[in-house]
Amino acid sequence: MTENKSARNSVRLNFSSAMNAAMRASGTMFRHSQGSVLLLIAITVAALMLRLCFLGTTSLWIDEIWSIRISHLPWNLYLWSIRHQDPNMILYYCMLHVWMKLGDSEAMVRGLSVLWGVATVPVLAMFGAQLFGRRAGLIAGLLLTINVFHIQYSQEARSYSLVILLVSLSSWCFVSCVESPRWYKWACYSFLSTLAIYSHLFAIFVVMSHVLSMLWAPGVRGLWKQVATALLV
């Protein structure tokens, strides 16, 4: 009886110790996760502030003027223009057409690109966290935040910040498809990739790199079946 009682007490102590350790670990994980979220929010706010600085102080240059001219056209003339003059950046022109109903000043017109540029920061951070861990993702988001070229392109009334956002989302979705293939994931990837190409034709090179990388992926036949199903859908 004494031995059984001591054994039960030992089991209870071990169970209690395990529960306490699990609670401490979960509490630490929660604090780390909460801290990462707060840090990502701070990085995103910093990206917004950097891209809003001096947004409307410089005059529009010729490509930005062309964007405004195309986006101001009525829909019938716009369709004629993309067929005969400028078939690139179709998605951006449609968005800018709607956006300029809020105003057509330099700062307002460029504000659409600022939104896409800022949105890319948390997307890249979460994409990097999936690939290399939370710390690497935050570093990637921070580096994009202070990247001079990205700040510049996020302040232009062109589709550059939009295509970077869509390519980042498409690549993130592609990695998720390769890790756990599902036809609906491939459908989402196809949709995002199509939007990226319609925002700028150079996005097709990123899609081609995804396709070429699948040649070395394990289970490539199964992946191609998933892609074919998604394209049909």
Side-chain angles (χ1 to χ4, degrees), residues 178-200:
V178 173
E179 290 180 347
S180 57
R182 297 290 187 276
W183 72 266
Y184 55 86
K185 289 185 178 182
W186 285 113
C188 181
Y189 166 75
S190 302
F191 177 70
L192 289 171
S193 298
T194 302
L195 290 181
I197 293 171
Y198 274 105
S199 64
H200 200 289

Side-chain angles (χ1 to χ4, degrees), residues 170 173-191 193-194 207-208 210-215 217-233:
S170 174
C173 191
F174 175 76
V175 171
S176 179
C177 291
V178 173
E179 290 180 347
S180 57
R182 297 290 187 276
W183 72 266
Y184 55 86
K185 289 185 178 182
W186 285 113
C188 181
Y189 166 75
S190 302
F191 177 70
S193 298
T194 302
V207 178
M208 289 172 60
H210 294 163
V211 174
L212 290 175
S213 69
M214 289 175 58
L215 297 178
V220 64
R221 292 184 179 179
L223 290 178
W224 281 113
K225 289 179 181 178
Q226 297 279 353
V227 175
T229 303
L231 291 175
L232 289 175
V233 172

Side-chain angles (χ1 to χ4, degrees), residues 65-76:
I65 295 173
W66 177 256
S67 297
I68 296 173
R69 177 186 176 279
I70 294 294
S71 302
H72 262 313
L73 293 174
W75 288 113
N76 59 333

Side-chain angles (χ1 to χ4, degrees), residues 3-34:
E3 293 179 356
N4 291 336
K5 188 174 182 180
S6 62
R8 286 196 298 269
N9 289 335
S10 177
V11 171
R12 289 173 183 169
L13 287 173
N14 291 335
F15 180 75
S16 177
S17 300
M19 288 296 295
N20 290 332
M23 290 178 65
R24 287 195 298 270
S26 62
T28 303
M29 185 180 300
F30 175 76
R31 287 194 297 272
H32 288 172
S33 176
Q34 188 179 37

Side-chain angles (χ1 to χ4, degrees), residues 104-174:
D104 57 0
S105 64
E106 286 89 345
M108 180 59 69
V109 171
R110 292 166 175 164
L112 182 61
S113 297
V114 170
L115 290 180
W116 306 136
V118 173
T120 308
V121 172
V123 168
L124 184 64
M126 290 184 286
F127 183 26
Q130 180 179 342
L131 289 175
F132 305 109
R134 187 181 296 123
R135 179 178 297 180
L138 290 173
I139 292 174
L142 179 60
L143 290 177
L144 184 66
T145 295
I146 61 176
N147 186 283
V148 177
F149 294 105
H150 191 262
I151 293 174
Q152 177 184 346
Y153 290 136
S154 297
Q155 292 183 327
E156 292 187 1
R158 301 292 285 170
S159 69
Y160 308 131
S161 63
L162 175 61
V163 70
I164 294 173
L165 172 62
L166 290 173
V167 162
S168 300
L169 287 170
S170 174
S171 300
W172 188 6
C173 191
F174 175 76

